[in-house]
Amino acid sequence: GENVEQHPSTLSVQEGDSAVIKCTYSDSASNYFPWYKQELGKGPQLIIDIRSNVGEKKDQRIAVTLNKTAKHFSLHITETQPEDSAVYFCAASTRGGGADGLTFGKGTHLIIQP
Amino acid sequence: DAGVTQSPTHLIKTRGQQVTLRCSPKSGHDTVSWYQQALGQGPQFIFQYYEEEERQRGNFPDRFSGHQFPNYSSELNVNALLLGDSALYLCASSFSEYGTQYFGPGTRLTVL
């Protein structure tokens, strides 16, 4: 089955700097890649997603890039703010939005230093 | 617009007992997926319900079962609870099997 590796496990950046989180996947048939943000005591919140027919997608300070050949995708957050502090998860699916279930990475704890 | 809701918020059970968790999908959604999230880990897919049928299943034993009702709400049942079943159980809803999944706040299950 699909395996998703996520790095780093912890990332500390200064407020205003950029943060990059990287994920690799094993199944070349994967075609849907969402990113979720999880705050303490809450469920994961979708922040951005990308499908395999697109190489890059941007939404204000957040962007995701996808390299199908290398089987990796990355989350980029610019101008980080204290409210960006949370655990971020990447995920992958071989059937659209997750019809076969989303396979998640182990998460990245993003810490924004004031 | 109500998001995904889950009940109860917290639950404490003892080994060998049975538990039922409930999920109401986001308005307009017809598909419900269940995930187990152990402490410090990413969510793991349990199964997905669409049109009141289990459509896909992850690597979980038969002790985990579910149901979807005509109003699209869903239940997750776990029999013969083990200590290792202690986790946050998340429900996600989507419009169709291929739609973007939106998660609820989860139910924290503790097995003693």
Side-chain angles (χ1 to χ4, degrees), chain A residues 14-63:
Chain A
Q14 290 293 126
E15 182 179 349
D17 288 350
S18 295
V20 180
I21 302 171
K22 299 181 179 182
C23 289
T24 59
Y25 59 98
S26 61
D27 191 339
S28 57
S30 287
N31 58 15
Y32 175 66
F33 308 92
W35 286 88
Y36 288 88
K37 173 184 180 183
Q38 188 172 28
E39 296 173 282
L40 201 61
K42 296 184 178 181
Q45 175 193 2
L46 179 75
I47 55 172
I48 197 167
D49 58 5
I50 192 168
R51 297 180 190 269
S52 60
N53 58 344
V54 175
E56 184 173 0
K57 185 176 177 180
K58 191 173 181 179
D59 182 5
Q60 298 182 10
R61 297 187 296 109
I62 294 172

Side-chain angles (χ1 to χ4, degrees), chain B residues 69-90:
Chain B
F69 299 93
N71 67 352
Y72 308 120
S73 67
S74 176
E75 287 182 349
L76 164 65
N77 301 292
V78 186
N79 293 323
L81 284 167
L82 304 174
L83 295 179
D85 295 332
S86 294
L88 181 68
Y89 287 85
L90 295 162

Side-chain angles (χ1 to χ4, degrees), chain A residues 36 38 46 95 97-99 102, chain B residues 35 37 56 97-98 100-101:
Chain A
Y36 288 88
Q38 188 172 28
L46 179 75
R95 291 180 63 199
L102 296 171
Chain B
Y35 292 81
Q37 185 177 24
Q56 295 290 331
E97 302 163 272
Y98 305 98
T100 300
Q101 295 189 11

Side-chain angles (χ1 to χ4, degrees), chain B residues 17-37:
Chain B
Q17 285 190 311
Q18 179 263 342
V19 67
T20 297
L21 311 181
R22 296 176 176 82
C23 171
S24 290
K26 187 177 167 68
S27 178
H29 287 184
D30 57 7
T31 303
V32 172
S33 302
W34 286 93
Y35 292 81
Q36 180 194 67
Q37 185 177 24

